[in-house]
Structures are given as structure tokens and as C-alpha cells.
Amino acid sequence: MNWQQLTSSKRSGSENKTAYTDAVRTSFVRDYDRLIFSSAFRRLQNKTQVFPLPGPGVFVHNRLTHSLEVASVGRSLGKAVGDALAQKYPQENDYFREFYKYELPSVIAAGCLAHDIGNPPFGHSGEDAIRTFFTELTGTEKAQFSELLSENQQRDFLYFEGNANAFRTLTHSFNEKAAGGFRLTYATLASIVKYPSDSLSGFNKQQLVTKKSGFFDSEIETYKHIANELGIPRLDDSKNIFARHPFVYLVEAADDICYRIIDFEDAHRLNIISIDTIKELFLQFFENETGYDAREKVEDTFNGINDNNQRVQFLRAKLINLLINRVTNVFMEKEEELLQGTLQRSLIDYLPESELQLMKTIDEFSIQHIYNHRSVVEIEIAGYNVIGGLLKEFFAAVINPKSAKSKKLLQLISQQFIITGERDKLYNDIQSVVDFIAGMTDLFAVDVFRKITGIEFPQIR
């Protein structure tokens, strides 16, 4: 791969059109704007990140606030790396220098905004709930699922992946005539595909790019076209496995930095962990720093703050800034491997050993005390029941679309999702059902589930 080809401003669905020029908004700024004004992005406001919304007076992160913060960190990473690349290659042409100095922050920020846009309701348990439903199919439903779908198509649901669903959400036209979905630039679209392989090749932990999947059977040709345009190599001629676009590592790093730190902030606000625990874990990162980042100076400032929430915010800001600098250095050190498509770990995994051990301690603490906290487990169980219940009803309807109940149920699916009722298009019909459910907010999913199962009746006036 080469840095210039990786920056294509061609748009999905508008490949043969002349690029639109705007004195105010560049192509990549327009990507950011299209995402932030979209209804799919707004719906993230009512999708669980980790903790359920606790009620008035306490605010924790949802998918939307998380994505905005990841975009903020991603923008800083894009700026730092872009400046470094522009400085390293002063002999390159004006477009190269302009892109990396001024445009890369917008690309990474847009990728960060979009990275969770395909995730279903109820946090990561939403993905598990979809997988569990299809894994546990029985009888005629399982028989039709196995008979009418290819192995790769089956695995799209058996191993449902929010990242692959994000790529579908951004590139698929659904029931619109205009092609290309959100019509984002190729550079931005490629920056969100963390695992550039199909479902059949994915979920193989032997290499980073096949740890999960990055696109469904329905979007294989779309990704292949983008990869070809950007010069992203195919790693296996017999399989749909590609190298990662280097920008993916920056989007991933921004997410890695945010969730590790922000989840602690939320847990503190909910009185799950103490200020002393956060102080002990976070201050260790500054042990070998100098100047304003020296542990003594950071701790003095921390101790001078009266409000504990403000103390956590101060440490969060200091640590994010430190990690942005670390990741930028790693990215530039690993430039050759990034361009060769051979880097096999995330940028965070290349931190100095002492800091890497601290990150692992944070991960272990989070699993034990945050991700398995009662409130988190309760909403995950609710997610299994609600999403599983919705899939049970709507999947049965597409399997047997001519029954009276099925016809009523299918009327509830938004018109943007096409249900054909044709036997040879079962894969597409199931996708439409999953598209509909995965796009729901937590509250809407609960509302629909209650009404179609008779737990709650619509008002009759």
C-alpha cells in the first residue's frame, strides 16, 4: 500500500461523478457532517454503551456520547499522525501534504463517529442475542435456514458482528433508488473495517484481520471494489481476506483509549468504584514522565481539586493525552508494517511494557468490577429476552409470510426494509428483519416487544 492511494475521495454510489468541491467543506468534512446529521447516528443516543441510563441526576455514556468522545480522540490522533507524515515526506506533492496535514483528522473523526453505528440495542449483548437466536433454531425454521442460505450467509447471522453491520448500514441503499447508502468517501469507509474478511473466513483468531468479520455476504463486492481502488491487498487469493487500511488502527486506538478510561468514570459516578482505586490505577502511567506530566505534578494538581468527579475528569484528560502521544509514536514506528499489511496487533498492544501491563490491569479490573456489575448483567439479560423475542416473531413471519399473523407483523417493519416473501430470497428477507431490529433504540425495542407479545396494549380511545 502507499499513502497517496489510500486517501481516495471517491464516494460509494457516486464513483463516476466528478468530485464536488466546496470552499468551506472538503469531501472528508462532508463525511463527518453526513454522519452526525443522520438518524442512524442520533438513534445511538438511546442505545446502551455499558451501563443502563440510571435516571435523573446521574449521566453515564450511551453509544452516542461514546462515539462523540471517540471522534474527539480520533481527530487528535489524525492530526498528530498527519503532521508527522507531512513532515516526513516534504518532497511529496501538494495533495499528499494537504491531506495528511489538514484532512486526515476529519477522516479519522468520521470513522470514529461511524464505528458503532451498526450495533444493535442493549450493548454488546445485543450482538450475542442475535447470534444465540440463530444458533438455537430448530425444526422447519432451522431446515429452511440451512437449506436456502449459503454457509457464508448463515454465518452472517450465526456470528453476527456489529462492525460488519456498520459497513452495511453505511453502504447499502435499502429501499432507496440512489446507490451507495450514506455515500461516504472510500477512505472513510475503509477506516471502520477492523476485520476485513467475510463471515466464512472470519472468527479465526490466527491473524488480526480474521478475528471477527468486517462485511456480510451482501457487501462483499462493495468492499472488494473499495479495496481495489485504495490498493488494499488481498491476503488470500482463494478467500475474501484483505489487509487492514492503516487508518483502521487509528480509529481502533481512539476507541480502545476511550472505553478503557471512560467506563471507569461512569463506574465512579455510579459509586461502583472509589476515587482511590482510580487514583491508584491512573497515576501509575505518569511514573516515568517529566515536566507537567511528572507523577508528582499530576498528583499535586489532583489533590488540589475538591470535587471527586472533577478529579476523575482531570486524570481522564491527562491520561488520554498521554496515550494519544504514545499511539502516535507507535504508528510512525510501525509505518512499514502498516503499509505492508502485516501488523498483527493493535497500536495499544505496542505500548512500553510497563504501560501495557497497566492497561492489562485496567482490563482485568473492568471485567471483574464493571462489566459484570449487577446493573450491566441485568440489562444484558433484558437484551437477550427482548431481541430474542423480536427475532422469534419476525423471523417466523418471513419463514411463513402468508399466514394471517405474519402479514400483520410484516406491516410493522419500516418500509425502507424490503420483505419479498420469496423462497429464493430468504437471506435478503432475514437481513431486512435484522436490519430493522438492529437499528432500534433500546426503548423502541422494548416498546415493540411488549406490544406484539401482548405484555402491553396500545391505547384504545
Side-chain angles (χ1 to χ4, degrees):
M1 292 180 277
N2 68 80
W3 289 125
Q4 294 203 39
Q5 190 176 359
L6 290 166
T7 63
S8 175
S9 60
K10 280 190 177 181
R11 294 187 176 279
S12 62
S14 303
E15 287 83 356
N16 299 321
K17 295 183 179 180
T18 303
Y20 176 79
T21 56
D22 188 317
V24 177
R25 296 191 305 147
T26 66
S27 294
F28 306 105
V29 171
R30 290 170 71 209
D31 283 350
Y32 185 95
D33 294 347
R34 288 183 181 193
L35 286 161
I36 209 161
F37 280 95
S38 69
S39 58
F41 183 74
R42 285 196 301 276
R43 286 197 298 272
L44 296 178
Q45 183 176 2
N46 188 236
K47 286 191 176 185
T48 298
Q49 175 62 20
V50 174
F51 296 105
L53 195 63
V58 179
F59 295 93
V60 294
H61 290 79
N62 51 45
R63 287 281 186 193
L64 186 140
T65 51
H66 167 73
S67 297
L68 288 170
E69 290 177 354
V70 173
S72 179
V73 173
R75 184 183 62 234
S76 296
L77 281 170
K79 175 64 174 165
V81 168
D83 284 350
L85 287 171
Q87 184 177 4
K88 184 174 181 178
Y89 299 103
Q91 76 281 6
E92 298 293 341
N93 61 38
D94 289 342
Y95 176 80
F96 177 95
R97 291 193 303 274
E98 289 287 311
F99 177 87
Y100 284 100
K101 194 164 182 61
Y102 302 109
E103 302 283 20
L104 184 57
S106 296
V107 174
I108 305 305
C112 291
L113 280 185
H115 83 283
D116 273 350
I117 211 163
N119 282 58
F122 303 106
H124 288 293
S125 67
E127 293 172 285
D128 289 334
I130 293 172
R131 296 168 189 155
T132 299
F133 173 80
F134 287 102
T135 300
E136 296 180 351
L137 286 175
T138 58
T140 41
E141 290 184 347
K142 182 178 182 179
Q144 290 194 50
F145 181 77
S146 302
E147 177 189 348
L148 300 176
L149 274 64
S150 69
E151 186 179 357
N152 189 48
Q153 290 172 344
Q154 291 176 46
R155 285 173 67 93
D156 284 349
F157 305 113
L158 294 169
Y159 296 89
F160 179 84
E161 174 56 36
N163 189 243
N165 199 47
F167 186 72
R168 173 175 170 79
T169 300
L170 297 175
T171 60
H172 192 66
S173 295
F174 298 101
N175 198 22
E176 296 300 327
K177 294 180 180 178
F182 279 48
R183 296 193 171 197
L184 302 181
T185 62
Y186 288 177
T188 295
L189 286 170
S191 74
I192 72 159
V193 184
K194 291 174 64 175
Y195 311 104
S197 64
D198 61 20
S199 298
L200 193 59
S201 305
F203 305 95
N204 178 351
K205 301 195 190 304
Q206 290 184 351
Q207 55 181 332
L208 180 64
V209 295
T210 58
K211 185 179 176 183
K212 296 182 182 178
S213 67
F215 42 84
F216 297 135
D217 189 84
S218 48
E219 280 72 54
I220 288 175
E221 294 305 315
T222 301
Y223 187 79
K224 285 166 68 174
H225 177 77
I226 292 172
N228 182 64
E229 179 70 25
L230 297 176
I232 299 174
R234 196 168 181 163
L235 300 182
D236 188 326
D237 290 338
S238 65
K239 297 178 181 178
N240 293 307
I241 304 174
F242 297 81
R244 273 184 167 191
H245 191 299
F247 297 168
V248 168
Y249 290 88
L250 297 176
V251 172
E252 178 182 50
D255 188 30
D256 286 347
I257 290 170
C258 283
Y259 79 75
R260 282 182 166 95
I261 298 172
I262 302 304
D263 291 347
F264 268 73
E265 186 174 359
D266 282 349
H268 173 260
R269 285 188 174 272
L270 295 172
N271 297 314
I272 293 171
I273 57 177
S274 70
I275 186 68
D276 292 333
T277 298
I278 292 179
K279 178 181 177 181
E280 179 185 351
L281 287 171
F282 286 9
L283 280 177
Q284 291 182 69
F285 282 89
F286 302 93
E287 211 57 76
N288 300 315
E289 297 302 299
T290 58
Y292 288 109
D293 284 342
R295 172 164 180 155
E296 183 180 350
K297 281 189 174 293
V298 174
E299 192 164 5
D300 284 347
T301 304
F302 174 87
N303 291 332
I305 300 171
N306 294 321
D307 182 74
N308 280 341
N309 289 330
Q310 294 290 337
R311 285 179 163 187
V312 175
Q313 290 173 29
F314 166 73
L315 279 184
R316 174 249 292 158
K318 293 293 291 185
L319 184 50
I320 286 176
N321 188 65
L322 182 145
L323 291 173
I324 286 172
N325 292 328
R326 291 283 193 277
V327 166
T328 300
N329 293 335
V330 171
F331 189 94
M332 296 307 297
E333 289 167 3
K334 300 293 181 182
E335 178 187 358
E336 185 177 347
E337 292 171 72
L338 287 164
L339 290 175
Q340 290 176 348
T342 58
L343 196 66
Q344 283 298 313
R345 291 186 284 167
S346 69
L347 298 179
I348 289 287
D349 289 334
Y350 291 98
L351 291 176
E353 185 59 32
S354 60
E355 294 173 3
L356 186 58
Q357 289 304 315
L358 289 174
M359 295 296 277
K360 289 179 179 177
T361 300
I362 284 176
D363 290 345
E364 291 168 0
F365 187 94
S366 297
I367 291 170
Q368 183 175 354
H369 299 283
I370 296 177
Y371 304 138
N372 283 304
H373 187 264
R374 183 182 181 88
S375 64
V376 176
V377 173
E378 286 173 345
I379 198 165
E380 287 180 342
I381 294 170
Y384 273 100
N385 289 331
V386 171
I387 291 178
L390 290 171
L391 282 169
K392 179 182 177 181
E393 296 292 337
F394 286 104
F395 180 78
V398 298
I399 288 290
N400 185 23
K402 295 183 180 180
S403 75
K405 180 183 177 183
S406 294
K407 290 177 181 178
K408 295 294 183 183
L409 278 167
L410 295 177
Q411 288 179 35
L412 299 180
I413 296 178
S414 303
Q415 289 186 354
Q416 69 185 107
F417 307 117
I418 302 171
I419 303 292
T420 66
E422 298 174 19
R423 180 179 169 83
D424 62 345
K425 293 184 179 178
L426 181 61
Y427 171 68
N428 306 97
D429 287 353
I430 297 173
Q431 272 197 314
S432 290
V433 166
V434 174
D435 289 335
F436 176 53
I437 294 172
M440 291 179 175
T441 64
D442 292 12
L443 288 178
F444 184 62
V446 170
D447 182 58
V448 174
F449 173 71
R450 284 174 171 170
K451 287 174 179 174
I452 67 173
T453 56
I455 295 173
E456 178 181 301
F457 283 87
Q459 268 191 327
I460 299 174
R461 295 181 180 178

